[in-house]
């Protein structure tokens, strides 16, 4: 089976495909285009959790079903994919994760999905429905982190990028140990879960979470780090998705 990699924008997609030499076959989908590199299909699905979920779900549903393929619960997998990876650049709660470093999500957390109340923010789970996090396979997180030289910890999905120190402090207070924030991981994870395919999130740090200072961002360095991360972790990702039994460990 194959690995589906979903980024937000084409520049992130291209950073991933460069890890495979830059040569790819384009596969047209309505409203999107997959770049196929060996065992990896790389898709720029759009910014934000809604676009990411829609693009991921469409790619999973559009691919032909692999006869006999089974997912984490033993149910048939929709399409040939054994793993979905949300990838790109993101902000980090420095100094735990400095600019240019890499983060693998131990938990993919919807940090602003819920309700604002006089007593503070309530996650959607506290309202009695939905879910606010997904946990990628721990063994896969460990293996990719070791291969890529990445830190492992919670990555927050937000619909609005943090722009103040107050908001950054609030997120850390609500989610102690969070290493980074981005905008797509939870959406990708929601779509992957609907087809019972394991998910992973891999981020390269371009900026610090907090007051917006575009002059301090290191987008080029982060994209280079993303390319390097996929070059180093590709054997782990490709090997993992061939062994469904390992998804349970």
């Amino acid at each position: 089976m194959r690995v589906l990699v979903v980024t937000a924008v084409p520049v992130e997609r291209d950073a991933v495909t460069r890890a495979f030499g830059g040569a790819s076959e384009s596969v047209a989908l309505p409203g999107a285009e997959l770049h196929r590199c060996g065992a990896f299909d790389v898709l720029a699905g759009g910014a934000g959790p809604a676009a990411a979920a829609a693009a991921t779900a469409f790619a999973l549903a559009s691919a032909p079903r692999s006869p006999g393929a089974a997912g984490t619960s033993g149910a048939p997998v929709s399409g040939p994919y054994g793993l979905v990876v949300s990838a790109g650049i993101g902000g980090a709660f420095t100094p735990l994760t400095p600019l240019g470093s890499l983060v693998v999500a131990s938990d993919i957390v919807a940090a602003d999905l819920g309700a604002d109340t006089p007593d503070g923010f309530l996650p959607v789970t506290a309202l009695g429905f939905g879910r606010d996090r997904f946990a990628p396979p721990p063994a896969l997180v460990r293996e990719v982190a070791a291969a890529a030289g990445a830190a492992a910890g919670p990555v927050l999905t937000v619909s609005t990028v943090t722009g103040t120190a107050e908001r950054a402090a609030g997120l850390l207070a609500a989610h102690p140990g969070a290493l980074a924030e981005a905008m797509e991981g939870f959406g990708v994870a929601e779509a992957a879960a609907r087809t019972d395919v394991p998910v992973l999130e891999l981020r390269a740090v371009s900026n610090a979470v907090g007051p917006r200072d575009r002059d301090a961002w290191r987008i080029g360095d982060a994209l280079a780090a993303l390319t390097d991360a996929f070059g180093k972790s590709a054997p782990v990702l490709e090997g993992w998705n061939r062994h469904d039994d390992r998804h349970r460990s």
Side-chain angles (χ1 to χ4, degrees):
M1 290 189 289
R2 306 180 60 77
V3 180
L4 176 64
V5 181
V6 183
T7 71
V9 295
V11 68
E12 294 170 318
R13 177 200 63 205
D14 295 345
V16 174
T17 61
R18 277 196 296 273
F20 312 112
S24 63
E25 172 193 356
S26 295
V27 179
L29 296 175
E33 183 179 72
L34 287 174
H35 286 218
R36 179 159 291 175
C37 307
F40 293 82
D41 287 352
V42 190
L43 169 69
T56 303
F58 198 89
L60 290 169
S62 298
R65 185 181 299 274
S66 297
T72 56
S73 67
V77 172
S78 176
Y81 299 111
L83 178 65
V84 179
V85 181
S86 176
I89 63 176
F93 295 96
T94 57
L96 295 175
T97 40
L99 302 189
S101 64
L102 297 161
V103 176
V104 179
S106 61
D107 293 275
I108 301 171
V109 184
D112 55 8
L113 180 62
D116 195 16
T117 77
D119 297 320
F121 177 77
L122 290 179
V124 67
T125 51
L127 303 177
F129 56 90
R131 63 186 301 174
D132 64 353
R133 70 183 56 227
F134 290 90
L140 178 60
V141 172
R142 291 193 299 270
E143 291 181 29
V144 172
V155 175
L156 309 183
T157 298
V158 295
S159 295
T160 301
V161 174
T162 299
T164 67
E166 180 182 16
R167 174 62 174 158
L171 287 173
L172 272 180
H175 306 282
L179 296 184
E181 74 167 23
M183 299 181 72
E184 293 79 34
F186 191 81
V188 173
E190 277 280 19
R194 301 300 173 93
T195 51
D196 203 37
V197 179
V199 68
L200 187 75
E201 184 171 8
L202 177 59
R203 294 284 165 183
V205 177
S206 60
N207 59 281
V209 176
R212 289 176 64 81
D213 179 6
R214 290 298 299 266
D215 291 338
W217 289 19
R218 297 292 181 265
I219 293 177
D221 292 343
L223 292 172
L226 189 64
T227 300
D228 185 63
F230 271 88
K232 291 177 177 177
S233 63
V236 175
L237 298 171
E238 185 178 358
W240 177 273
N241 89 90
R242 292 174 178 169
H243 299 90
D244 287 343
D245 59 314
R246 297 172 63 192
H247 295 163
R248 301 180 177 88
S249 59

